[in-house]
Amino acid sequence: MLGGYAEIVVPIFLCLFILLWHWRSWNKHSPIINWPLFGMLPGLLQNAQHIHDYTTRVLKHYGGTWEFMGPCFSNMEFVLISDPTNMHHILSRNFSNYHKGPKFREVFEPLGDGIFASDSDSWRFQRKLIQSMIKNKKFDLFLEKVSRGKVESGLIPILDHFSSMGIEVDLQDVFQRYTFDNVCFLVLGFDPNCLSSEFAQVAHAKAFDQIEQSLLYRHIVPESCWKLQRWLQIGEEKKLSIAWKIFDQFVYQCISSKREQLSRSKTQKMKVEEETFDLLTACIEQDEGGEMDCSTKSNKFLRDMAFSLIAAGRDTISSGLTWFLWLVATHPSVEAKILQEMREHLLVNNEREMNWDIKEISKLVYLHAAICESLRLFPPVPFEHLYAIDSDILPSGHPIGPSTRILYSPYAMGRTESIWGEDCLEFKPERWISEEGRIVHVPSYKFIAFNAGPRTCLGKDMSFIQMKTVASTIIWNYRLQVVEAHPVLPKISVVLHMRHGFKVRVTKRDH
C-alpha cells in the first residue's frame, strides 16, 4: 500500500523540484524571481529592510519600468517606474488617464476627500482654492512671520540648550517638532508648542505619527489582512482608529474655534490681522464670499483640506531638512561654500550681524543648489501612487491595462545614471549651477521631488523658504558633528525618515 503511494507522490515531488530548478535557472540573471504561486513577493519581503535601494537596483536592471507580479489571487500587481520618458507621459501628456483611484483612497483613508486623494472636478476645485489662498499677500506676510519667528523663539533656544549642555540631540525629532508647530500654525492658526526644551509628548502630534505608521502597515500586508483587522478592531488598525479619532478631535476643535473667532470679529466689525492670516481663515473667508457650495462649506471639507496640508507640510519638510543637514555635516567643502556665500550676501556692513530677510536668503544660489541636490538623493516621498483609468501604451512599449496600479520612484530616479550621469550617487551641488552662476533648470519629470505636470506641488516655494530659513540659521550659528558610529539608513515608511534618527552634537560656531 505504501509502495503504491510512493509511486504517485515521489514523481510529483520530483517534477515540482525540476520545475522550480528550471524556474530558478530561467530567472538567474534577474534581481528578483517570479515564483510559481508566490510571484515576486518573496524577493520583495527578503529585501524589505532596504527596499528603496533594492527597487532602485531592480528598476535599473529592467530599464526603468518593472512589472511586479504578486501571489496568485492577491491583487498585488503593479507597475513601478523610474523612466523619465514614461513619467512625462503619465504625469503630463496623458494626465487624464492616471488618477489616484479607489485603491489609493482606501489605503490612505484618513486623508478623506482632501486634495491628495481626490480626482477630477474635486481635485481641480481644491487646487484652485489652495492656489488662491497661498498667493494672498496676507498669507505671504504670515508665512514670513511664522517661519522666522519659530526659528528664533523655538529652534535657536533648543539648539543653544543642547550646545551648552554638551549632549547629543536627535535633530530629526527636533525638525519634526518644529515643522508640526509650523504647519499647524500656518494651516490652523494654532501653535501646539511641540518644540520646547521639555520635549513633551503632544497627544495630537503623537497621533499623527501613529496614523503614518499604520498607513505604512497597510502597504506591506495583504489587503484582506488589514481589512479583517479593521473590521475586528484589533492590532495596527485599532491603533489607527484611536489615533485618527484623537487627531480629528484636535482639527475639528481648531475649526470650531476659528469659526467663532471670525464670527466674533465680524460682529464687532474687526478686520483679521494680516499677521495671523492662516489657511483655515482664508478658506472660511472664501466660504463667506459665496464661492463655495454646501459640501465645501462643511467642517468635513475643512477637516480634509487641513489634514492634507498638514501632511504635506510636516513630514516632507522635516525629512528634507534632516537629510540635507546630514549631507552638509558630512561634506565640509559644501558647508564651507555655503558659509562663504552667506558672508558675501547676508553680512551687514561687513560685521557679524546678518540680514535674515527671506528675500535675501532666497538669493543664495549655492544654498538652493545644495538643497536641490539633497532632495534629488533623498526625496521626502520615495514612492508615489497612481491608477490607470483606461488602457495605454507607455513610450517604453509597456502595455498598461485598465485599473493597473502605477508606482513611481523619485528615490530611484535620483540614482539613475542615464538622468544624472555616472556620478549620480555623489552629493554635488555644482551640478545645479550654470557657468553664469544661475540655477540650472531641470525638467520636473526628471527632478520629481515636487511631482510633475498638473499635480506639481503647490507648496514648492513655501518649502524652499522654510528649508532655507532653518538651514541657513543652523549652518551660520552652529557646527554639527554626527555622533560616531551612528547608523544612517532610510526608514521603511511612507515618508523618507532616518531609521535611527539623526544624532548629533551641537557646538556654537565662533565666527
Side-chain angles (χ1 to χ4, degrees), residues 40-63:
M40 298 177 177
L41 185 61
L44 207 60
L45 294 176
Q46 183 182 358
N47 293 278
Q49 288 304 305
H50 53 277
I51 191 68
H52 303 303
D53 291 318
Y54 178 66
T55 52
T56 298
R57 184 160 60 91
V58 174
L59 280 164
K60 183 178 179 180
H61 176 84
Y62 286 106

PDB file of all heavy atoms in Angstrom, residues 40-63:
ATOM      1  N   MET A  40       6.494  37.523  -7.140  1.00  0.00           N
ATOM      2  CA  MET A  40       7.748  38.186  -6.756  1.00  0.00           C
ATOM      3  C   MET A  40       7.771  38.620  -5.294  1.00  0.00           C
ATOM      4  O   MET A  40       8.735  39.235  -4.838  1.00  0.00           O
ATOM      5  CB  MET A  40       7.971  39.420  -7.640  1.00  0.00           C
ATOM      6  CG  MET A  40       8.126  39.101  -9.114  1.00  0.00           C
ATOM      7  SD  MET A  40       8.312  40.622 -10.109  1.00  0.00           S
ATOM      8  CE  MET A  40       8.577  39.932 -11.748  1.00  0.00           C
ATOM      9  N   LEU A  41       6.702  38.299  -4.561  1.00  0.00           N
ATOM     10  CA  LEU A  41       6.602  38.755  -3.170  1.00  0.00           C
ATOM     11  C   LEU A  41       7.742  38.253  -2.289  1.00  0.00           C
ATOM     12  O   LEU A  41       8.255  39.027  -1.470  1.00  0.00           O
ATOM     13  CB  LEU A  41       5.248  38.353  -2.576  1.00  0.00           C
ATOM     14  CG  LEU A  41       4.956  38.876  -1.170  1.00  0.00           C
ATOM     15  CD1 LEU A  41       4.960  40.406  -1.144  1.00  0.00           C
ATOM     16  CD2 LEU A  41       3.613  38.348  -0.663  1.00  0.00           C
ATOM     17  N   PRO A  42       8.182  36.982  -2.385  1.00  0.00           N
ATOM     18  CA  PRO A  42       9.289  36.533  -1.513  1.00  0.00           C
ATOM     19  C   PRO A  42      10.529  37.411  -1.627  1.00  0.00           C
ATOM     20  O   PRO A  42      11.156  37.757  -0.624  1.00  0.00           O
ATOM     21  CB  PRO A  42       9.552  35.098  -1.992  1.00  0.00           C
ATOM     22  CG  PRO A  42       8.239  34.645  -2.536  1.00  0.00           C
ATOM     23  CD  PRO A  42       7.649  35.866  -3.189  1.00  0.00           C
ATOM     24  N   GLY A  43      10.907  37.765  -2.864  1.00  0.00           N
ATOM     25  CA  GLY A  43      12.091  38.609  -3.048  1.00  0.00           C
ATOM     26  C   GLY A  43      11.907  39.984  -2.458  1.00  0.00           C
ATOM     27  O   GLY A  43      12.840  40.562  -1.879  1.00  0.00           O
ATOM     28  N   LEU A  44      10.681  40.523  -2.581  1.00  0.00           N
ATOM     29  CA  LEU A  44      10.401  41.847  -2.028  1.00  0.00           C
ATOM     30  C   LEU A  44      10.479  41.823  -0.507  1.00  0.00           C
ATOM     31  O   LEU A  44      11.062  42.715   0.126  1.00  0.00           O
ATOM     32  CB  LEU A  44       9.013  42.301  -2.483  1.00  0.00           C
ATOM     33  CG  LEU A  44       8.767  43.813  -2.575  1.00  0.00           C
ATOM     34  CD1 LEU A  44       9.715  44.457  -3.563  1.00  0.00           C
ATOM     35  CD2 LEU A  44       7.326  44.097  -2.975  1.00  0.00           C
ATOM     36  N   LEU A  45       9.913  40.782   0.111  1.00  0.00           N
ATOM     37  CA  LEU A  45       9.944  40.659   1.576  1.00  0.00           C
ATOM     38  C   LEU A  45      11.367  40.427   2.074  1.00  0.00           C
ATOM     39  O   LEU A  45      11.762  40.959   3.112  1.00  0.00           O
ATOM     40  CB  LEU A  45       9.037  39.516   2.031  1.00  0.00           C
ATOM     41  CG  LEU A  45       7.535  39.716   1.793  1.00  0.00           C
ATOM     42  CD1 LEU A  45       6.754  38.460   2.190  1.00  0.00           C
ATOM     43  CD2 LEU A  45       7.006  40.915   2.577  1.00  0.00           C
ATOM     44  N   GLN A  46      12.132  39.643   1.325  1.00  0.00           N
ATOM     45  CA  GLN A  46      13.511  39.354   1.718  1.00  0.00           C
ATOM     46  C   GLN A  46      14.356  40.624   1.762  1.00  0.00           C
ATOM     47  O   GLN A  46      15.289  40.748   2.559  1.00  0.00           O
ATOM     48  CB  GLN A  46      14.112  38.348   0.742  1.00  0.00           C
ATOM     49  CG  GLN A  46      15.536  37.915   1.084  1.00  0.00           C
ATOM     50  CD  GLN A  46      16.099  36.957   0.059  1.00  0.00           C
ATOM     51  OE1 GLN A  46      15.423  36.578  -0.905  1.00  0.00           O
ATOM     52  NE2 GLN A  46      17.337  36.551   0.241  1.00  0.00           N
ATOM     53  N   ASN A  47      14.023  41.587   0.904  1.00  0.00           N
ATOM     54  CA  ASN A  47      14.797  42.835   0.816  1.00  0.00           C
ATOM     55  C   ASN A  47      14.058  44.032   1.391  1.00  0.00           C
ATOM     56  O   ASN A  47      14.400  45.181   1.101  1.00  0.00           O
ATOM     57  CB  ASN A  47      15.143  43.102  -0.650  1.00  0.00           C
ATOM     58  CG  ASN A  47      16.107  42.079  -1.213  1.00  0.00           C
ATOM     59  OD1 ASN A  47      17.311  42.174  -1.014  1.00  0.00           O
ATOM     60  ND2 ASN A  47      15.580  41.082  -1.922  1.00  0.00           N
ATOM     61  N   ALA A  48      13.054  43.773   2.223  1.00  0.00           N
ATOM     62  CA  ALA A  48      12.194  44.852   2.733  1.00  0.00           C
ATOM     63  C   ALA A  48      12.962  45.879   3.551  1.00  0.00           C
ATOM     64  O   ALA A  48      12.612  47.063   3.548  1.00  0.00           O
ATOM     65  CB  ALA A  48      11.064  44.261   3.571  1.00  0.00           C
ATOM     66  N   GLN A  49      14.010  45.463   4.259  1.00  0.00           N
ATOM     67  CA  GLN A  49      14.721  46.393   5.132  1.00  0.00           C
ATOM     68  C   GLN A  49      15.542  47.425   4.365  1.00  0.00           C
ATOM     69  O   GLN A  49      15.930  48.437   4.915  1.00  0.00           O
ATOM     70  CB  GLN A  49      15.626  45.614   6.106  1.00  0.00           C
ATOM     71  CG  GLN A  49      14.863  44.874   7.183  1.00  0.00           C
ATOM     72  CD  GLN A  49      13.954  45.790   7.982  1.00  0.00           C
ATOM     73  OE1 GLN A  49      14.404  46.805   8.535  1.00  0.00           O
ATOM     74  NE2 GLN A  49      12.680  45.463   8.065  1.00  0.00           N
ATOM     75  N   HIS A  50      15.818  47.142   3.096  1.00  0.00           N
ATOM     76  CA  HIS A  50      16.500  48.144   2.254  1.00  0.00           C
ATOM     77  C   HIS A  50      15.749  48.270   0.939  1.00  0.00           C
ATOM     78  O   HIS A  50      16.337  48.223  -0.142  1.00  0.00           O
ATOM     79  CB  HIS A  50      17.976  47.791   2.049  1.00  0.00           C
ATOM     80  CG  HIS A  50      18.214  46.398   1.546  1.00  0.00           C
ATOM     81  ND1 HIS A  50      18.247  45.302   2.379  1.00  0.00           N
ATOM     82  CD2 HIS A  50      18.409  45.907   0.286  1.00  0.00           C
ATOM     83  CE1 HIS A  50      18.471  44.215   1.662  1.00  0.00           C
ATOM     84  NE2 HIS A  50      18.566  44.554   0.380  1.00  0.00           N
ATOM     85  N   ILE A  51      14.437  48.436   1.069  1.00  0.00           N
ATOM     86  CA  ILE A  51      13.543  48.383  -0.086  1.00  0.00           C
ATOM     87  C   ILE A  51      13.849  49.452  -1.132  1.00  0.00           C
ATOM     88  O   ILE A  51      13.738  49.211  -2.338  1.00  0.00           O
ATOM     89  CB  ILE A  51      12.070  48.482   0.388  1.00  0.00           C
ATOM     90  CG1 ILE A  51      11.102  48.151  -0.761  1.00  0.00           C
ATOM     91  CG2 ILE A  51      11.758  49.844   0.966  1.00  0.00           C
ATOM     92  CD1 ILE A  51      11.144  46.725  -1.183  1.00  0.00           C
ATOM     93  N   HIS A  52      14.246  50.654  -0.695  1.00  0.00           N
ATOM     94  CA  HIS A  52      14.469  51.749  -1.647  1.00  0.00           C
ATOM     95  C   HIS A  52      15.662  51.460  -2.561  1.00  0.00           C
ATOM     96  O   HIS A  52      15.577  51.620  -3.784  1.00  0.00           O
ATOM     97  CB  HIS A  52      14.674  53.068  -0.905  1.00  0.00           C
ATOM     98  CG  HIS A  52      13.536  53.415   0.004  1.00  0.00           C
ATOM     99  ND1 HIS A  52      12.244  53.535  -0.440  1.00  0.00           N
ATOM    100  CD2 HIS A  52      13.492  53.653   1.345  1.00  0.00           C
ATOM    101  CE1 HIS A  52      11.450  53.834   0.573  1.00  0.00           C
ATOM    102  NE2 HIS A  52      12.184  53.913   1.655  1.00  0.00           N
ATOM    103  N   ASP A  53      16.766  51.016  -1.968  1.00  0.00           N
ATOM    104  CA  ASP A  53      17.941  50.705  -2.787  1.00  0.00           C
ATOM    105  C   ASP A  53      17.713  49.440  -3.604  1.00  0.00           C
ATOM    106  O   ASP A  53      18.212  49.322  -4.731  1.00  0.00           O
ATOM    107  CB  ASP A  53      19.180  50.551  -1.903  1.00  0.00           C
ATOM    108  CG  ASP A  53      19.616  51.883  -1.302  1.00  0.00           C
ATOM    109  OD1 ASP A  53      19.599  52.890  -2.030  1.00  0.00           O
ATOM    110  OD2 ASP A  53      19.948  51.926  -0.108  1.00  0.00           O
ATOM    111  N   TYR A  54      16.954  48.492  -3.056  1.00  0.00           N
ATOM    112  CA  TYR A  54      16.666  47.261  -3.792  1.00  0.00           C
ATOM    113  C   TYR A  54      15.814  47.541  -5.029  1.00  0.00           C
ATOM    114  O   TYR A  54      16.129  47.077  -6.126  1.00  0.00           O
ATOM    115  CB  TYR A  54      15.952  46.264  -2.872  1.00  0.00           C
ATOM    116  CG  TYR A  54      15.570  44.987  -3.575  1.00  0.00           C
ATOM    117  CD1 TYR A  54      16.552  44.111  -4.055  1.00  0.00           C
ATOM    118  CD2 TYR A  54      14.230  44.657  -3.770  1.00  0.00           C
ATOM    119  CE1 TYR A  54      16.199  42.942  -4.706  1.00  0.00           C
ATOM    120  CE2 TYR A  54      13.870  43.490  -4.419  1.00  0.00           C
ATOM    121  CZ  TYR A  54      14.869  42.629  -4.888  1.00  0.00           C
ATOM    122  OH  TYR A  54      14.516  41.484  -5.542  1.00  0.00           O
ATOM    123  N   THR A  55      14.745  48.314  -4.864  1.00  0.00           N
ATOM    124  CA  THR A  55      13.902  48.618  -6.025  1.00  0.00           C
ATOM    125  C   THR A  55      14.659  49.475  -7.039  1.00  0.00           C
ATOM    126  O   THR A  55      14.423  49.366  -8.246  1.00  0.00           O
ATOM    127  CB  THR A  55      12.601  49.328  -5.602  1.00  0.00           C
ATOM    128  OG1 THR A  55      12.907  50.461  -4.779  1.00  0.00           O
ATOM    129  CG2 THR A  55      11.692  48.389  -4.843  1.00  0.00           C
ATOM    130  N   THR A  56      15.592  50.303  -6.569  1.00  0.00           N
ATOM    131  CA  THR A  56      16.437  51.073  -7.486  1.00  0.00           C
ATOM    132  C   THR A  56      17.264  50.129  -8.361  1.00  0.00           C
ATOM    133  O   THR A  56      17.384  50.320  -9.581  1.00  0.00           O
ATOM    134  CB  THR A  56      17.372  52.017  -6.705  1.00  0.00           C
ATOM    135  OG1 THR A  56      16.579  52.946  -5.957  1.00  0.00           O
ATOM    136  CG2 THR A  56      18.302  52.775  -7.635  1.00  0.00           C
ATOM    137  N   ARG A  57      17.816  49.092  -7.730  1.00  0.00           N
ATOM    138  CA  ARG A  57      18.617  48.102  -8.470  1.00  0.00           C
ATOM    139  C   ARG A  57      17.762  47.325  -9.468  1.00  0.00           C
ATOM    140  O   ARG A  57      18.161  47.087 -10.609  1.00  0.00           O
ATOM    141  CB  ARG A  57      19.289  47.148  -7.471  1.00  0.00           C
ATOM    142  CG  ARG A  57      20.217  46.137  -8.116  1.00  0.00           C
ATOM    143  CD  ARG A  57      21.207  45.577  -7.106  1.00  0.00           C
ATOM    144  NE  ARG A  57      20.541  44.910  -6.001  1.00  0.00           N
ATOM    145  CZ  ARG A  57      20.244  43.602  -5.989  1.00  0.00           C
ATOM    146  NH1 ARG A  57      20.542  42.849  -7.030  1.00  0.00           N
ATOM    147  NH2 ARG A  57      19.676  43.063  -4.935  1.00  0.00           N
ATOM    148  N   VAL A  58      16.554  46.928  -9.026  1.00  0.00           N
ATOM    149  CA  VAL A  58      15.655  46.182  -9.912  1.00  0.00           C
ATOM    150  C   VAL A  58      15.239  47.049 -11.100  1.00  0.00           C
ATOM    151  O   VAL A  58      15.228  46.597 -12.250  1.00  0.00           O
ATOM    152  CB  VAL A  58      14.417  45.679  -9.140  1.00  0.00           C
ATOM    153  CG1 VAL A  58      13.416  45.027 -10.100  1.00  0.00           C
ATOM    154  CG2 VAL A  58      14.818  44.684  -8.064  1.00  0.00           C
ATOM    155  N   LEU A  59      14.894  48.314 -10.833  1.00  0.00           N
ATOM    156  CA  LEU A  59      14.492  49.222 -11.901  1.00  0.00           C
ATOM    157  C   LEU A  59      15.631  49.448 -12.899  1.00  0.00           C
ATOM    158  O   LEU A  59      15.403  49.529 -14.112  1.00  0.00           O
ATOM    159  CB  LEU A  59      14.020  50.556 -11.317  1.00  0.00           C
ATOM    160  CG  LEU A  59      12.594  50.558 -10.771  1.00  0.00           C
ATOM    161  CD1 LEU A  59      12.361  51.766  -9.873  1.00  0.00           C
ATOM    162  CD2 LEU A  59      11.573  50.545 -11.915  1.00  0.00           C
ATOM    163  N   LYS A  60      16.834  49.558 -12.394  1.00  0.00           N
ATOM    164  CA  LYS A  60      17.996  49.715 -13.281  1.00  0.00           C
ATOM    165  C   LYS A  60      18.120  48.496 -14.194  1.00  0.00           C
ATOM    166  O   LYS A  60      18.372  48.621 -15.403  1.00  0.00           O
ATOM    167  CB  LYS A  60      19.268  49.912 -12.457  1.00  0.00           C
ATOM    168  CG  LYS A  60      20.509  50.149 -13.302  1.00  0.00           C
ATOM    169  CD  LYS A  60      21.732  50.393 -12.420  1.00  0.00           C
ATOM    170  CE  LYS A  60      22.985  50.619 -13.269  1.00  0.00           C
ATOM    171  NZ  LYS A  60      24.193  50.854 -12.438  1.00  0.00           N
ATOM    172  N   HIS A  61      17.922  47.308 -13.626  1.00  0.00           N
ATOM    173  CA  HIS A  61      18.020  46.063 -14.402  1.00  0.00           C
ATOM    174  C   HIS A  61      16.982  46.020 -15.510  1.00  0.00           C
ATOM    175  O   HIS A  61      17.265  45.568 -16.628  1.00  0.00           O
ATOM    176  CB  HIS A  61      17.845  44.867 -13.466  1.00  0.00           C
ATOM    177  CG  HIS A  61      17.830  43.537 -14.173  1.00  0.00           C
ATOM    178  ND1 HIS A  61      18.978  42.862 -14.506  1.00  0.00           N
ATOM    179  CD2 HIS A  61      16.790  42.771 -14.630  1.00  0.00           C
ATOM    180  CE1 HIS A  61      18.661  41.743 -15.132  1.00  0.00           C
ATOM    181  NE2 HIS A  61      17.336  41.649 -15.216  1.00  0.00           N
ATOM    182  N   TYR A  62      15.776  46.503 -15.223  1.00  0.00           N
ATOM    183  CA  TYR A  62      14.677  46.434 -16.188  1.00  0.00           C
ATOM    184  C   TYR A  62      14.519  47.717 -17.014  1.00  0.00           C
ATOM    185  O   TYR A  62      13.491  47.908 -17.664  1.00  0.00           O
ATOM    186  CB  TYR A  62      13.367  46.120 -15.476  1.00  0.00           C
ATOM    187  CG  TYR A  62      13.252  44.676 -15.030  1.00  0.00           C
ATOM    188  CD1 TYR A  62      13.371  44.319 -13.695  1.00  0.00           C
ATOM    189  CD2 TYR A  62      13.040  43.662 -15.963  1.00  0.00           C
ATOM    190  CE1 TYR A  62      13.282  42.994 -13.285  1.00  0.00           C
ATOM    191  CE2 TYR A  62      12.950  42.339 -15.569  1.00  0.00           C
ATOM    192  CZ  TYR A  62      13.075  42.008 -14.233  1.00  0.00           C
ATOM    193  OH  TYR A  62      12.980  40.698 -13.836  1.00  0.00           O
ATOM    194  N   GLY A  63      15.516  48.585 -16.969  1.00  0.00           N
ATOM    195  CA  GLY A  63      15.487  49.765 -17.824  1.00  0.00           C
ATOM    196  C   GLY A  63      14.530  50.852 -17.364  1.00  0.00           C
ATOM    197  O   GLY A  63      14.115  51.695 -18.166  1.00  0.00           O
TER     198      GLY A  63
END
